[in-house]
Amino acid sequence: MKTIDELVADGVTGKRVLVRADLNVPLDGDTITDDGRIRAAVPTIKRLADAGARVVVASHLGRPQGAPDPRYSLAPVARRLGELLGQDVAFAADTVGDSAKATVASLGDGGVTLLENLRFNPGETSKDDAERAAFADELAALADAYVGDGFGAVHRQHASVYDLPARLPHAAGGLIATEVGVLKKLTEDVGRPYVVVLGGAKVSDKLGVIEHLLEKADRILVGGGMAYTFLKAQGHDVGKSLLQEDQVPAVRGYLERAAERGVEFVLPVDVLAADGFPDLKTKAPAHPVTVAADAIPGELEGLDLGPETRKLYAAKLADAATVFWNGPMGVFEHPDYAEGTRALARALLDSPAFTVVGGGDSAAAVRILGFDENAFGHISTGGGASLEYLEGKTLPGLAALEDRTA
């Protein structure tokens, strides 16, 4: 795919360059609670602005239903982006309407504007090719070139990700180039032992990547809510813990295949459990008890890794050469259930391995728990995109950028 270096070398001064970024940040009202994705987008935007381009930034935020919804406005993001860039960022109050056209037309060389949430237009996410194409045509009219830099959205066949690049000269931004380079280190000539750590709530979200990684990984550590489906598949009682009963047969099959292939599956040996889910809003003190993972009492719910499991997982990471981590180990948003995720992150930092944190809640946990992001090998901006890449799937947004015919 064409790089941003090549695009800049061709000359972008005075040209309108639309950057498809991923600025899908968590909001509490108008307050951004984690600006990691905005900071990740800054280098590409700044590179183009410094080269004299007129930069039109486009992104989605949340899941509005194809119509304007003030809860998902990008206005707070425009303010934060301006602070990080050290310059004013004009905000267009729509995506391709009068405000967008006027705001883009008013840009000078080196200026930056942010369009309103792309998903306020139904054409962005439409399953209908013609509707998506029509929206892509309107976006293309606002620009002379396109830079794809929203890695967190490249697994979506959306208008701004998939259809728009075909309509304009296009290139991959620095963030996407970095993400793809890192993921190749996880799929081609991988340093071994290769350890994969999977957490999060639902095992169904990870089935595809587990199946693919059975051919790649040496060791797989499982935590979070999904661990209880694995424990159930081994025949253990999990009490009131999160359980996807319908996935138990599939999980049992993966455990059998792992044993046949010599892939080590590591599950919790103890967990922190309580008689109810903690209050994440008030962070009121909880009263967890440590119980054996293979015999969780019927009235209790597992919510985090226990102390022996934390030690076990740290030992299983100590000799790794490559580690990919996706998904927290427990309800890290509550301080009484954050230690499992904290201990895992600390073990990654203590390991000599090349460590990749696979976006989403894992990346948020690193920041919320106060770790230095630069101490990890790489923190991805796209959890879902990373997983689908590791599954071996073709990602529409990357495929569109690899086509150099536009």
Side-chain angles (χ1 to χ4, degrees), residues 370-393:
F371 289 96
D372 178 4
E373 296 176 60
N374 296 321
F376 296 87
H378 179 69
I379 296 183
S380 178
T381 57
S386 295
L387 289 176
E388 291 199 14
Y389 189 100
L390 293 179
E391 286 179 43
K393 291 184 177 180

mmCIF file of all heavy atoms in Angstrom, residues 370-393:
data_model
loop_
_atom_site.group_PDB
_atom_site.id
_atom_site.type_symbol
_atom_site.label_atom_id
_atom_site.label_comp_id
_atom_site.label_asym_id
_atom_site.label_seq_id
_atom_site.Cartn_x
_atom_site.Cartn_y
_atom_site.Cartn_z
ATOM 1 N N GLY A 370 -2.542 3.089 35.388
ATOM 2 C CA GLY A 370 -1.387 3.944 35.602
ATOM 3 C C GLY A 370 -0.061 3.448 35.060
ATOM 4 O O GLY A 370 0.998 3.935 35.469
ATOM 5 N N PHE A 371 -0.088 2.514 34.112
ATOM 6 C CA PHE A 371 1.158 2.020 33.545
ATOM 7 C C PHE A 371 1.670 2.947 32.441
ATOM 8 O O PHE A 371 0.891 3.626 31.773
ATOM 9 C CB PHE A 371 0.973 0.606 32.981
ATOM 10 C CG PHE A 371 0.788 -0.439 34.034
ATOM 11 C CD1 PHE A 371 -0.481 -0.854 34.417
ATOM 12 C CD2 PHE A 371 1.880 -1.010 34.663
ATOM 13 C CE1 PHE A 371 -0.661 -1.814 35.393
ATOM 14 C CE2 PHE A 371 1.718 -1.974 35.655
ATOM 15 C CZ PHE A 371 0.448 -2.374 36.015
ATOM 16 N N ASP A 372 2.966 2.943 32.240
ATOM 17 C CA ASP A 372 3.588 3.722 31.172
ATOM 18 C C ASP A 372 3.358 2.994 29.853
ATOM 19 O O ASP A 372 3.885 1.891 29.639
ATOM 20 C CB ASP A 372 5.089 3.872 31.448
ATOM 21 C CG ASP A 372 5.822 4.641 30.354
ATOM 22 O OD1 ASP A 372 5.164 5.135 29.413
ATOM 23 O OD2 ASP A 372 7.065 4.750 30.450
ATOM 24 N N GLU A 373 2.586 3.595 28.964
ATOM 25 C CA GLU A 373 2.277 2.951 27.689
ATOM 26 C C GLU A 373 3.537 2.648 26.881
ATOM 27 O O GLU A 373 3.605 1.641 26.171
ATOM 28 C CB GLU A 373 1.351 3.849 26.860
ATOM 29 C CG GLU A 373 -0.014 4.080 27.481
ATOM 30 C CD GLU A 373 -0.840 5.058 26.672
ATOM 31 O OE1 GLU A 373 -1.091 4.760 25.491
ATOM 32 O OE2 GLU A 373 -1.194 6.124 27.204
ATOM 33 N N ASN A 374 4.529 3.516 26.989
ATOM 34 C CA ASN A 374 5.742 3.343 26.193
ATOM 35 C C ASN A 374 6.598 2.165 26.658
ATOM 36 O O ASN A 374 7.540 1.778 25.977
ATOM 37 C CB ASN A 374 6.584 4.620 26.231
ATOM 38 C CG ASN A 374 5.867 5.790 25.586
ATOM 39 O OD1 ASN A 374 5.202 5.620 24.561
ATOM 40 N ND2 ASN A 374 5.976 6.968 26.177
ATOM 41 N N ALA A 375 6.263 1.615 27.821
ATOM 42 C CA ALA A 375 7.032 0.482 28.330
ATOM 43 C C ALA A 375 6.644 -0.833 27.651
ATOM 44 O O ALA A 375 7.382 -1.816 27.734
ATOM 45 C CB ALA A 375 6.840 0.358 29.839
ATOM 46 N N PHE A 376 5.505 -0.847 26.971
ATOM 47 C CA PHE A 376 5.078 -2.032 26.239
ATOM 48 C C PHE A 376 5.606 -1.958 24.807
ATOM 49 O O PHE A 376 5.857 -0.883 24.274
ATOM 50 C CB PHE A 376 3.554 -2.129 26.227
ATOM 51 C CG PHE A 376 2.950 -2.322 27.592
ATOM 52 C CD1 PHE A 376 2.656 -1.225 28.396
ATOM 53 C CD2 PHE A 376 2.688 -3.585 28.087
ATOM 54 C CE1 PHE A 376 2.106 -1.383 29.658
ATOM 55 C CE2 PHE A 376 2.138 -3.761 29.348
ATOM 56 C CZ PHE A 376 1.853 -2.663 30.137
ATOM 57 N N GLY A 377 5.743 -3.127 24.179
ATOM 58 C CA GLY A 377 6.215 -3.124 22.803
ATOM 59 C C GLY A 377 5.294 -2.354 21.887
ATOM 60 O O GLY A 377 5.733 -1.559 21.063
ATOM 61 N N HIS A 378 3.987 -2.560 22.049
ATOM 62 C CA HIS A 378 3.004 -1.852 21.220
ATOM 63 C C HIS A 378 1.639 -1.961 21.879
ATOM 64 O O HIS A 378 1.269 -3.032 22.377
ATOM 65 C CB HIS A 378 2.940 -2.463 19.817
ATOM 66 C CG HIS A 378 1.929 -1.808 18.923
ATOM 67 N ND1 HIS A 378 2.071 -0.523 18.445
ATOM 68 C CD2 HIS A 378 0.746 -2.259 18.434
ATOM 69 C CE1 HIS A 378 1.030 -0.215 17.694
ATOM 70 N NE2 HIS A 378 0.216 -1.249 17.674
ATOM 71 N N ILE A 379 0.907 -0.867 21.890
ATOM 72 C CA ILE A 379 -0.483 -0.873 22.335
ATOM 73 C C ILE A 379 -1.351 -0.541 21.135
ATOM 74 O O ILE A 379 -1.286 0.563 20.582
ATOM 75 C CB ILE A 379 -0.724 0.129 23.474
ATOM 76 C CG1 ILE A 379 0.084 -0.297 24.709
ATOM 77 C CG2 ILE A 379 -2.209 0.209 23.816
ATOM 78 C CD1 ILE A 379 -0.123 0.573 25.915
ATOM 79 N N SER A 380 -2.142 -1.497 20.705
ATOM 80 C CA SER A 380 -2.957 -1.325 19.511
ATOM 81 C C SER A 380 -4.139 -0.405 19.778
ATOM 82 O O SER A 380 -4.623 -0.293 20.906
ATOM 83 C CB SER A 380 -3.469 -2.681 19.028
ATOM 84 O OG SER A 380 -4.302 -2.539 17.902
ATOM 85 N N THR A 381 -4.600 0.250 18.731
ATOM 86 C CA THR A 381 -5.797 1.093 18.817
ATOM 87 C C THR A 381 -7.048 0.355 18.357
ATOM 88 O O THR A 381 -8.128 0.931 18.371
ATOM 89 C CB THR A 381 -5.624 2.360 17.962
ATOM 90 O OG1 THR A 381 -5.343 1.971 16.609
ATOM 91 C CG2 THR A 381 -4.491 3.227 18.481
ATOM 92 N N GLY A 382 -6.892 -0.906 17.960
ATOM 93 C CA GLY A 382 -8.047 -1.627 17.437
ATOM 94 C C GLY A 382 -8.118 -3.052 17.926
ATOM 95 O O GLY A 382 -7.454 -3.941 17.370
ATOM 96 N N GLY A 383 -8.913 -3.295 18.964
ATOM 97 C CA GLY A 383 -9.036 -4.650 19.485
ATOM 98 C C GLY A 383 -9.691 -5.596 18.503
ATOM 99 O O GLY A 383 -9.158 -6.669 18.199
ATOM 100 N N GLY A 384 -10.856 -5.212 17.974
ATOM 101 C CA GLY A 384 -11.563 -6.071 17.027
ATOM 102 C C GLY A 384 -10.784 -6.292 15.749
ATOM 103 O O GLY A 384 -10.720 -7.406 15.229
ATOM 104 N N ALA A 385 -10.165 -5.227 15.231
ATOM 105 C CA ALA A 385 -9.376 -5.346 14.012
ATOM 106 C C ALA A 385 -8.166 -6.246 14.226
ATOM 107 O O ALA A 385 -7.822 -7.064 13.369
ATOM 108 C CB ALA A 385 -8.929 -3.962 13.541
ATOM 109 N N SER A 386 -7.524 -6.114 15.382
ATOM 110 C CA SER A 386 -6.372 -6.963 15.689
ATOM 111 C C SER A 386 -6.768 -8.431 15.716
ATOM 112 O O SER A 386 -6.081 -9.298 15.157
ATOM 113 C CB SER A 386 -5.764 -6.579 17.043
ATOM 114 O OG SER A 386 -5.222 -5.291 17.025
ATOM 115 N N LEU A 387 -7.883 -8.723 16.373
ATOM 116 C CA LEU A 387 -8.332 -10.114 16.478
ATOM 117 C C LEU A 387 -8.653 -10.692 15.109
ATOM 118 O O LEU A 387 -8.281 -11.829 14.797
ATOM 119 C CB LEU A 387 -9.546 -10.212 17.402
ATOM 120 C CG LEU A 387 -9.285 -10.001 18.893
ATOM 121 C CD1 LEU A 387 -10.599 -10.029 19.665
ATOM 122 C CD2 LEU A 387 -8.328 -11.036 19.452
ATOM 123 N N GLU A 388 -9.340 -9.915 14.276
ATOM 124 C CA GLU A 388 -9.705 -10.434 12.953
ATOM 125 C C GLU A 388 -8.467 -10.631 12.082
ATOM 126 O O GLU A 388 -8.402 -11.574 11.283
ATOM 127 C CB GLU A 388 -10.724 -9.515 12.277
ATOM 128 C CG GLU A 388 -12.089 -9.547 12.964
ATOM 129 C CD GLU A 388 -13.222 -9.031 12.098
ATOM 130 O OE1 GLU A 388 -13.021 -8.886 10.865
ATOM 131 O OE2 GLU A 388 -14.304 -8.774 12.643
ATOM 132 N N TYR A 389 -7.484 -9.757 12.214
ATOM 133 C CA TYR A 389 -6.228 -9.943 11.482
ATOM 134 C C TYR A 389 -5.571 -11.253 11.920
ATOM 135 O O TYR A 389 -5.103 -12.036 11.091
ATOM 136 C CB TYR A 389 -5.295 -8.763 11.741
ATOM 137 C CG TYR A 389 -4.052 -8.745 10.867
ATOM 138 C CD1 TYR A 389 -3.983 -7.925 9.746
ATOM 139 C CD2 TYR A 389 -2.944 -9.539 11.173
ATOM 140 C CE1 TYR A 389 -2.851 -7.914 8.944
ATOM 141 C CE2 TYR A 389 -1.815 -9.531 10.379
ATOM 142 C CZ TYR A 389 -1.773 -8.715 9.267
ATOM 143 O OH TYR A 389 -0.644 -8.704 8.471
ATOM 144 N N LEU A 390 -5.537 -11.491 13.235
ATOM 145 C CA LEU A 390 -4.913 -12.709 13.747
ATOM 146 C C LEU A 390 -5.708 -13.961 13.387
ATOM 147 O O LEU A 390 -5.160 -15.061 13.372
ATOM 148 C CB LEU A 390 -4.734 -12.620 15.258
ATOM 149 C CG LEU A 390 -3.732 -11.574 15.748
ATOM 150 C CD1 LEU A 390 -3.666 -11.567 17.267
ATOM 151 C CD2 LEU A 390 -2.352 -11.816 15.162
ATOM 152 N N GLU A 391 -6.994 -13.786 13.091
ATOM 153 C CA GLU A 391 -7.802 -14.901 12.618
ATOM 154 C C GLU A 391 -7.485 -15.259 11.171
ATOM 155 O O GLU A 391 -7.931 -16.284 10.661
ATOM 156 C CB GLU A 391 -9.296 -14.570 12.719
ATOM 157 C CG GLU A 391 -9.865 -14.586 14.126
ATOM 158 C CD GLU A 391 -11.331 -14.215 14.131
ATOM 159 O OE1 GLU A 391 -12.085 -14.703 13.264
ATOM 160 O OE2 GLU A 391 -11.742 -13.422 15.011
ATOM 161 N N GLY A 392 -6.736 -14.378 10.495
ATOM 162 C CA GLY A 392 -6.420 -14.598 9.090
ATOM 163 C C GLY A 392 -7.446 -14.033 8.138
ATOM 164 O O GLY A 392 -7.418 -14.328 6.937
ATOM 165 N N LYS A 393 -8.359 -13.211 8.639
ATOM 166 C CA LYS A 393 -9.395 -12.626 7.790
ATOM 167 C C LYS A 393 -8.840 -11.484 6.944
ATOM 168 O O LYS A 393 -7.874 -10.824 7.330
ATOM 169 C CB LYS A 393 -10.554 -12.098 8.646
ATOM 170 C CG LYS A 393 -11.377 -13.175 9.320
ATOM 171 C CD LYS A 393 -12.545 -12.559 10.069
ATOM 172 C CE LYS A 393 -13.445 -13.622 10.700
ATOM 173 N NZ LYS A 393 -14.584 -13.015 11.432
#
